[in-house]
Amino acid sequence: MSVLVSITGRNNDKLMAKLQEALPETKIEQWPNCENMEDIEFVLAWNAPDELWQQLPNLKVVQSYGAGVDGIPLAILPSSVKVTRIVDQQLSVDMAEYVLSHVLAYKLRHREYTSNQTERYWKPRRSVAGDSVGILGLGELGCRTASLLSRHGFSVRGWSRTLKDLSNVECYAGEAQFEQFLTGLDYVVCLLPLTSATQGILNAQLFSLVSSECLLINVARGQHLVEADLLNALDENELGAAVLDVFTTEPLPEAHPFWKHPKITVTPHVAAVTNLDTVVAQIAANARACFANQALQNRVMQDRGY
Ligand code: NAP
Ligand code: GLV
C-alpha cells in the first residue's frame, strides 16, 4: 500500500514533503526511484512516462496532478483502475482572472498601444466594439469564467455536451447547437477537455462563424487548435487575434511562427497552475480512500474521457 509520484518537468521536493506530512504512515516514492512496484496502489501523475503504466500490477487509483486527464492513458488502464483529478476553487479563480484580463486587454487595445509606444506613435482609438463572449466547456473552469465575465458586463454564451441552466449565461449544447452558439461571437474561449470529440475543434469552420474581429483564447489544450487554420484566418483577417496558453508541443519550439506573430499572444501554460498548498489535502484524502476502498473525490468518467 504505497504511493508513487510521477510528475515530470518540475522539482517535487516540496510536494513530496507536504504529502508525507499529510500521509505520515504511508510510503511515498518518486518515479523512477521506486523500490517495489508491486506495493504501489496509488499514483499521482503529470506527464508520466508511457512505460510506467505496464509496471504497476496492483494499481488501484491514478490521481492527475491537474484538472486535465489527457496525459493519463485512460484507454489502456485496466477497467478496475479508477482515475481522479484536481478540482480546486483557487484554480477556477485563477483561470477566470486570466481570461478576463486578456478579454479586457484586447478590448482596450493594450498590445497596440504598447507597440505604438516603442515607435513613439500617438494614435488614440475607441475600444474594440462587441461584448459577446462564448465559452466552449461549462465545467468547473468554464462556469467560473462565465460568471466573472457576466459580472463585468459581457454578454456570455456557453456550450457544453449536456445542456446547463446558469443565470446570466445563454446556454447551448451538443453539435446541433454549435453553429448557433458561435455565430457572431466577439470572443471565443476554449475550456474543453481534450477528447476524441474535441480535438481540432478550433478550426477554419469555427473561425468562419465568429466575428472577423473575434479574439480566440485557448486555455484548454494545444491539440484543440488546428494551427494552420489559425494562421490562415489571422492572415486573411477572418479573425482578430489569439491568446494561446497551451500548445501541441510544450515548451513551444523556438522556431514556431506563433512566437513572432503580431496578432498572437503566447503565455507558457500558466493560466491556472495547480497550487500544491491548496491541493495536497484532496490528494491525501483520495490516497486514504484508495487504501480503504472508499469513494474518491473528483472521479473522472473513463468512458467519456473527462
Ligand atoms: P470539466 O469540469 O470536466 O468541464 C468540461 C466541460 O466541457 C463540461 O461542461 C463538458 O460538458 C464540456 N464538454 C466535454 N466534452 C464536450 C463535447 N464533446 N462537446 C461539448 N462540450 C463538451 O473540466 P474543467 O475542470 O473545467 O477543465 C477544462 C480543461 O481546462 C481541462 O481539461 C484542461 O485541459 C484545461 N486546463 C488548462 C489549464 C491551464 O493552465 N491552461 C489549467 C487547468 C485546466 P458537460 O458539462 O455536459 O459534461
Ligand atoms: C493544467 O493544464 C491542468 O489541466 O490542470
Side-chain angles (χ1 to χ4, degrees), residues 47-90:
N47 291 333
D50 293 344
E51 68 266 25
L52 169 66
W53 306 107
Q54 292 98 38
Q55 301 180 41
L56 298 162
N58 295 313
L59 180 64
K60 284 162 71 176
V61 172
V62 183
Q63 161 86 57
S64 170
Y65 189 63
V69 293
D70 45 287
I72 296 169
L74 302 179
I76 67 155
L77 290 175
S79 56
S80 57
V81 174
K82 296 177 180 129
V83 178
T84 76
R85 70 188 188 107
I86 296 296
V87 173
D88 182 43
Q89 176 95 333
Q90 187 58 51

Short mmCIF file of all heavy atoms in Angstrom, two decimals, residues 47-90:
data_model
loop_
_atom_site.label_atom_id
_atom_site.label_comp_id
_atom_site.label_asym_id
_atom_site.label_seq_id
_atom_site.Cartn_x
_atom_site.Cartn_y
_atom_site.Cartn_z
N ASN A 47 2.31 14.21 -16.82
CA ASN A 47 3.31 13.89 -17.85
C ASN A 47 4.11 12.65 -17.48
O ASN A 47 5.34 12.62 -17.65
CB ASN A 47 4.29 15.06 -18.06
CG ASN A 47 3.60 16.25 -18.69
OD1 ASN A 47 2.62 16.10 -19.41
ND2 ASN A 47 4.13 17.44 -18.43
N ALA A 48 3.46 11.65 -16.95
CA ALA A 48 4.17 10.42 -16.56
C ALA A 48 4.63 9.70 -17.82
O ALA A 48 3.95 9.75 -18.86
CB ALA A 48 3.24 9.52 -15.76
N PRO A 49 5.79 8.99 -17.77
CA PRO A 49 6.27 8.30 -18.97
C PRO A 49 5.38 7.11 -19.32
O PRO A 49 4.86 6.44 -18.42
CB PRO A 49 7.67 7.83 -18.56
CG PRO A 49 7.66 7.82 -17.08
CD PRO A 49 6.67 8.84 -16.61
N ASP A 50 5.24 6.84 -20.63
CA ASP A 50 4.37 5.74 -21.09
C ASP A 50 4.75 4.40 -20.47
O ASP A 50 3.87 3.59 -20.17
CB ASP A 50 4.46 5.60 -22.62
CG ASP A 50 3.87 6.81 -23.31
OD1 ASP A 50 3.14 7.58 -22.65
OD2 ASP A 50 4.16 7.00 -24.52
N GLU A 51 6.06 4.18 -20.28
CA GLU A 51 6.49 2.85 -19.82
C GLU A 51 6.10 2.57 -18.37
O GLU A 51 6.18 1.44 -17.90
CB GLU A 51 8.00 2.66 -20.02
CG GLU A 51 8.90 3.52 -19.14
CD GLU A 51 9.34 4.83 -19.81
OE1 GLU A 51 8.61 5.31 -20.71
OE2 GLU A 51 10.38 5.37 -19.40
N LEU A 52 5.65 3.60 -17.65
CA LEU A 52 5.29 3.40 -16.24
C LEU A 52 4.12 2.43 -16.08
O LEU A 52 4.11 1.56 -15.22
CB LEU A 52 4.93 4.76 -15.62
CG LEU A 52 4.28 4.73 -14.23
CD1 LEU A 52 5.26 4.20 -13.20
CD2 LEU A 52 3.81 6.13 -13.82
N TRP A 53 3.10 2.60 -16.96
CA TRP A 53 1.79 2.00 -16.67
C TRP A 53 1.78 0.48 -16.70
O TRP A 53 0.97 -0.14 -16.02
CB TRP A 53 0.73 2.60 -17.60
CG TRP A 53 0.73 4.11 -17.50
CD1 TRP A 53 1.20 4.99 -18.43
CD2 TRP A 53 0.30 4.90 -16.39
NE1 TRP A 53 1.08 6.29 -17.96
CE2 TRP A 53 0.52 6.26 -16.71
CE3 TRP A 53 -0.26 4.61 -15.14
CZ2 TRP A 53 0.22 7.31 -15.85
CZ3 TRP A 53 -0.56 5.65 -14.28
CH2 TRP A 53 -0.33 6.98 -14.63
N GLN A 54 2.67 -0.14 -17.47
CA GLN A 54 2.68 -1.61 -17.51
C GLN A 54 3.41 -2.21 -16.30
O GLN A 54 3.45 -3.42 -16.13
CB GLN A 54 3.38 -2.14 -18.76
CG GLN A 54 2.67 -1.87 -20.06
CD GLN A 54 3.25 -0.66 -20.75
OE1 GLN A 54 4.46 -0.45 -20.71
NE2 GLN A 54 2.39 0.15 -21.36
N GLN A 55 4.01 -1.37 -15.48
CA GLN A 55 4.86 -1.89 -14.40
C GLN A 55 4.18 -1.86 -13.04
O GLN A 55 4.84 -1.92 -12.01
CB GLN A 55 6.15 -1.06 -14.34
CG GLN A 55 6.94 -1.08 -15.62
CD GLN A 55 8.21 -0.24 -15.51
OE1 GLN A 55 8.89 -0.26 -14.49
NE2 GLN A 55 8.51 0.51 -16.55
N LEU A 56 2.86 -1.71 -13.03
CA LEU A 56 2.16 -1.50 -11.76
C LEU A 56 1.06 -2.56 -11.59
O LEU A 56 -0.12 -2.28 -11.81
CB LEU A 56 1.54 -0.09 -11.74
CG LEU A 56 2.56 1.06 -11.85
CD1 LEU A 56 1.87 2.34 -12.28
CD2 LEU A 56 3.25 1.26 -10.50
N PRO A 57 1.42 -3.78 -11.17
CA PRO A 57 0.43 -4.87 -11.14
C PRO A 57 -0.71 -4.65 -10.14
O PRO A 57 -1.78 -5.21 -10.31
CB PRO A 57 1.27 -6.10 -10.75
CG PRO A 57 2.48 -5.54 -10.07
CD PRO A 57 2.76 -4.22 -10.72
N ASN A 58 -0.48 -3.82 -9.11
CA ASN A 58 -1.52 -3.65 -8.08
C ASN A 58 -2.09 -2.23 -8.04
O ASN A 58 -2.62 -1.80 -7.01
CB ASN A 58 -0.97 -4.06 -6.72
CG ASN A 58 -0.65 -5.56 -6.72
OD1 ASN A 58 -1.49 -6.36 -7.16
ND2 ASN A 58 0.55 -5.92 -6.32
N LEU A 59 -2.00 -1.54 -9.19
CA LEU A 59 -2.51 -0.17 -9.26
C LEU A 59 -4.02 -0.14 -9.06
O LEU A 59 -4.76 -0.90 -9.69
CB LEU A 59 -2.15 0.42 -10.64
CG LEU A 59 -2.60 1.85 -10.90
CD1 LEU A 59 -1.92 2.83 -9.96
CD2 LEU A 59 -2.32 2.25 -12.35
N LYS A 60 -4.49 0.78 -8.18
CA LYS A 60 -5.95 0.92 -7.96
C LYS A 60 -6.47 2.30 -8.40
O LYS A 60 -7.58 2.41 -8.91
CB LYS A 60 -6.27 0.71 -6.48
CG LYS A 60 -6.22 -0.75 -6.07
CD LYS A 60 -6.12 -0.98 -4.59
CE LYS A 60 -7.35 -0.65 -3.81
NZ LYS A 60 -7.21 -0.98 -2.38
N VAL A 61 -5.64 3.33 -8.16
CA VAL A 61 -6.11 4.69 -8.46
C VAL A 61 -5.00 5.52 -9.10
O VAL A 61 -3.85 5.47 -8.66
CB VAL A 61 -6.58 5.40 -7.16
CG1 VAL A 61 -6.90 6.87 -7.41
CG2 VAL A 61 -7.80 4.70 -6.57
N VAL A 62 -5.38 6.29 -10.15
CA VAL A 62 -4.47 7.29 -10.70
C VAL A 62 -5.09 8.65 -10.42
O VAL A 62 -6.24 8.91 -10.79
CB VAL A 62 -4.27 7.13 -12.22
CG1 VAL A 62 -3.26 8.16 -12.72
CG2 VAL A 62 -3.81 5.73 -12.56
N GLN A 63 -4.32 9.52 -9.76
CA GLN A 63 -4.78 10.88 -9.47
C GLN A 63 -3.98 11.83 -10.36
O GLN A 63 -2.75 11.86 -10.32
CB GLN A 63 -4.50 11.18 -7.98
CG GLN A 63 -4.47 12.65 -7.58
CD GLN A 63 -5.85 13.21 -7.25
OE1 GLN A 63 -6.53 12.70 -6.39
NE2 GLN A 63 -6.24 14.27 -7.95
N SER A 64 -4.68 12.60 -11.19
CA SER A 64 -3.98 13.61 -12.01
C SER A 64 -3.56 14.76 -11.11
O SER A 64 -4.32 15.18 -10.23
CB SER A 64 -4.92 14.13 -13.10
OG SER A 64 -4.34 15.25 -13.74
N TYR A 65 -2.35 15.30 -11.37
CA TYR A 65 -1.92 16.48 -10.61
C TYR A 65 -2.36 17.75 -11.34
O TYR A 65 -1.63 18.72 -11.46
CB TYR A 65 -0.40 16.47 -10.42
CG TYR A 65 0.10 17.53 -9.46
CD1 TYR A 65 -0.30 17.52 -8.13
CD2 TYR A 65 0.96 18.54 -9.87
CE1 TYR A 65 0.13 18.51 -7.25
CE2 TYR A 65 1.40 19.53 -8.99
CZ TYR A 65 0.97 19.50 -7.68
OH TYR A 65 1.39 20.47 -6.80
N GLY A 66 -3.54 17.71 -11.90
CA GLY A 66 -4.09 18.87 -12.60
C GLY A 66 -5.56 18.60 -12.87
O GLY A 66 -6.09 17.52 -12.54
N ALA A 67 -6.22 19.59 -13.52
CA ALA A 67 -7.64 19.42 -13.84
C ALA A 67 -7.81 18.49 -15.04
O ALA A 67 -8.77 17.73 -15.12
CB ALA A 67 -8.25 20.78 -14.14
N GLY A 68 -6.88 18.56 -15.98
CA GLY A 68 -6.98 17.74 -17.19
C GLY A 68 -6.45 16.34 -16.95
O GLY A 68 -5.57 16.12 -16.12
N VAL A 69 -7.00 15.37 -17.70
CA VAL A 69 -6.55 13.98 -17.57
C VAL A 69 -6.07 13.41 -18.89
O VAL A 69 -5.89 12.20 -19.03
CB VAL A 69 -7.67 13.08 -16.98
CG1 VAL A 69 -7.97 13.44 -15.55
CG2 VAL A 69 -8.92 13.14 -17.84
N ASP A 70 -5.85 14.28 -19.89
CA ASP A 70 -5.45 13.81 -21.20
C ASP A 70 -4.05 13.18 -21.17
O ASP A 70 -3.69 12.44 -22.08
CB ASP A 70 -5.51 14.95 -22.23
CG ASP A 70 -4.90 16.23 -21.66
OD1 ASP A 70 -5.54 16.85 -20.80
OD2 ASP A 70 -3.78 16.58 -22.07
N GLY A 71 -3.26 13.45 -20.14
CA GLY A 71 -1.92 12.84 -20.03
C GLY A 71 -1.98 11.46 -19.43
O GLY A 71 -0.94 10.80 -19.31
N ILE A 72 -3.16 11.00 -19.03
CA ILE A 72 -3.29 9.66 -18.44
C ILE A 72 -3.93 8.76 -19.50
O ILE A 72 -4.98 9.10 -20.04
CB ILE A 72 -4.17 9.74 -17.17
CG1 ILE A 72 -3.47 10.61 -16.13
CG2 ILE A 72 -4.45 8.34 -16.61
CD1 ILE A 72 -4.32 10.99 -14.95
N PRO A 73 -3.29 7.62 -19.80
CA PRO A 73 -3.81 6.79 -20.91
C PRO A 73 -5.04 5.99 -20.48
O PRO A 73 -4.96 4.80 -20.23
CB PRO A 73 -2.62 5.89 -21.23
CG PRO A 73 -1.87 5.78 -19.94
CD PRO A 73 -2.11 7.02 -19.16
N LEU A 74 -6.19 6.67 -20.43
CA LEU A 74 -7.42 6.05 -19.91
C LEU A 74 -7.74 4.75 -20.64
O LEU A 74 -8.18 3.79 -20.02
CB LEU A 74 -8.60 7.03 -20.06
CG LEU A 74 -8.46 8.40 -19.37
CD1 LEU A 74 -9.69 9.26 -19.62
CD2 LEU A 74 -8.23 8.23 -17.88
N ALA A 75 -7.50 4.74 -21.96
CA ALA A 75 -7.91 3.58 -22.76
C ALA A 75 -7.09 2.33 -22.45
O ALA A 75 -7.59 1.22 -22.64
CB ALA A 75 -7.80 3.92 -24.24
N ILE A 76 -5.85 2.49 -21.97
CA ILE A 76 -5.04 1.27 -21.75
C ILE A 76 -5.03 0.83 -20.28
O ILE A 76 -4.54 -0.25 -19.97
CB ILE A 76 -3.59 1.42 -22.28
CG1 ILE A 76 -2.79 2.44 -21.47
CG2 ILE A 76 -3.54 1.71 -23.77
CD1 ILE A 76 -1.29 2.19 -21.54
N LEU A 77 -5.57 1.64 -19.39
CA LEU A 77 -5.59 1.22 -17.98
C LEU A 77 -6.65 0.13 -17.80
O LEU A 77 -7.72 0.19 -18.42
CB LEU A 77 -5.94 2.40 -17.08
CG LEU A 77 -4.88 3.51 -16.95
CD1 LEU A 77 -5.43 4.66 -16.13
CD2 LEU A 77 -3.60 2.97 -16.32
N PRO A 78 -6.39 -0.85 -16.93
CA PRO A 78 -7.42 -1.87 -16.68
C PRO A 78 -8.69 -1.19 -16.16
O PRO A 78 -8.61 -0.16 -15.48
CB PRO A 78 -6.80 -2.75 -15.59
CG PRO A 78 -5.35 -2.45 -15.59
CD PRO A 78 -5.16 -1.07 -16.15
N SER A 79 -9.86 -1.78 -16.46
CA SER A 79 -11.11 -1.11 -16.07
C SER A 79 -11.27 -1.02 -14.56
O SER A 79 -12.04 -0.20 -14.05
CB SER A 79 -12.30 -1.83 -16.70
OG SER A 79 -12.25 -3.18 -16.32
N SER A 80 -10.51 -1.84 -13.81
CA SER A 80 -10.60 -1.77 -12.34
C SER A 80 -9.91 -0.53 -11.78
O SER A 80 -10.14 -0.14 -10.64
CB SER A 80 -9.95 -3.02 -11.75
OG SER A 80 -8.60 -3.09 -12.20
N VAL A 81 -9.04 0.10 -12.58
CA VAL A 81 -8.30 1.28 -12.08
C VAL A 81 -9.18 2.52 -12.19
O VAL A 81 -9.74 2.80 -13.24
CB VAL A 81 -6.99 1.47 -12.89
CG1 VAL A 81 -6.29 2.76 -12.49
CG2 VAL A 81 -6.07 0.28 -12.69
N LYS A 82 -9.28 3.25 -11.07
CA LYS A 82 -10.10 4.48 -11.07
C LYS A 82 -9.21 5.69 -11.25
O LYS A 82 -8.05 5.69 -10.83
CB LYS A 82 -10.86 4.58 -9.75
CG LYS A 82 -11.84 3.44 -9.56
CD LYS A 82 -12.50 3.53 -8.21
CE LYS A 82 -13.49 2.38 -8.05
NZ LYS A 82 -13.29 1.65 -6.81
N VAL A 83 -9.78 6.72 -11.88
CA VAL A 83 -9.00 7.93 -12.17
C VAL A 83 -9.69 9.14 -11.53
O VAL A 83 -10.91 9.25 -11.56
CB VAL A 83 -8.86 8.13 -13.70
CG1 VAL A 83 -8.09 9.40 -14.02
CG2 VAL A 83 -8.16 6.92 -14.33
N THR A 84 -8.89 10.00 -10.93
CA THR A 84 -9.43 11.23 -10.32
C THR A 84 -8.59 12.40 -10.79
O THR A 84 -7.50 12.23 -11.34
CB THR A 84 -9.40 11.17 -8.78
OG1 THR A 84 -8.06 11.39 -8.35
CG2 THR A 84 -9.90 9.87 -8.23
N ARG A 85 -9.10 13.61 -10.53
CA ARG A 85 -8.38 14.80 -10.99
C ARG A 85 -8.52 15.91 -9.95
O ARG A 85 -9.28 15.76 -8.98
CB ARG A 85 -8.95 15.27 -12.33
CG ARG A 85 -10.34 15.85 -12.20
CD ARG A 85 -11.01 16.14 -13.52
NE ARG A 85 -12.25 16.86 -13.34
CZ ARG A 85 -12.43 18.15 -13.62
NH1 ARG A 85 -11.45 18.86 -14.12
NH2 ARG A 85 -13.59 18.74 -13.42
N ILE A 86 -7.83 17.01 -10.17
CA ILE A 86 -7.90 18.14 -9.24
C ILE A 86 -9.11 19.02 -9.59
O ILE A 86 -9.28 19.42 -10.74
CB ILE A 86 -6.61 19.00 -9.34
CG1 ILE A 86 -5.39 18.20 -8.88
CG2 ILE A 86 -6.77 20.30 -8.55
CD1 ILE A 86 -5.38 17.77 -7.44
N VAL A 87 -9.91 19.30 -8.58
CA VAL A 87 -10.92 20.35 -8.68
C VAL A 87 -10.64 21.27 -7.51
O VAL A 87 -10.62 20.82 -6.36
CB VAL A 87 -12.35 19.77 -8.58
CG1 VAL A 87 -13.38 20.90 -8.51
CG2 VAL A 87 -12.64 18.88 -9.79
N ASP A 88 -10.33 22.53 -7.82
CA ASP A 88 -9.86 23.43 -6.76
C ASP A 88 -10.37 24.84 -7.03
O ASP A 88 -10.21 25.36 -8.13
CB ASP A 88 -8.31 23.39 -6.77
CG ASP A 88 -7.70 24.26 -5.69
OD1 ASP A 88 -8.18 24.23 -4.55
OD2 ASP A 88 -6.73 24.99 -6.00
N GLN A 89 -10.96 25.40 -6.01
CA GLN A 89 -11.53 26.76 -6.09
C GLN A 89 -10.49 27.76 -6.62
O GLN A 89 -10.77 28.57 -7.49
CB GLN A 89 -11.95 27.13 -4.66
CG GLN A 89 -12.48 28.49 -4.47
CD GLN A 89 -14.01 28.44 -4.55
OE1 GLN A 89 -14.57 27.56 -5.20
NE2 GLN A 89 -14.66 29.37 -3.90
N GLN A 90 -9.26 27.64 -6.11
CA GLN A 90 -8.21 28.61 -6.49
C GLN A 90 -7.88 28.50 -7.98
O GLN A 90 -7.66 29.49 -8.66
CB GLN A 90 -6.95 28.37 -5.64
CG GLN A 90 -5.87 29.41 -5.82
CD GLN A 90 -6.37 30.83 -5.49
OE1 GLN A 90 -6.95 31.05 -4.44
NE2 GLN A 90 -6.18 31.77 -6.41
#
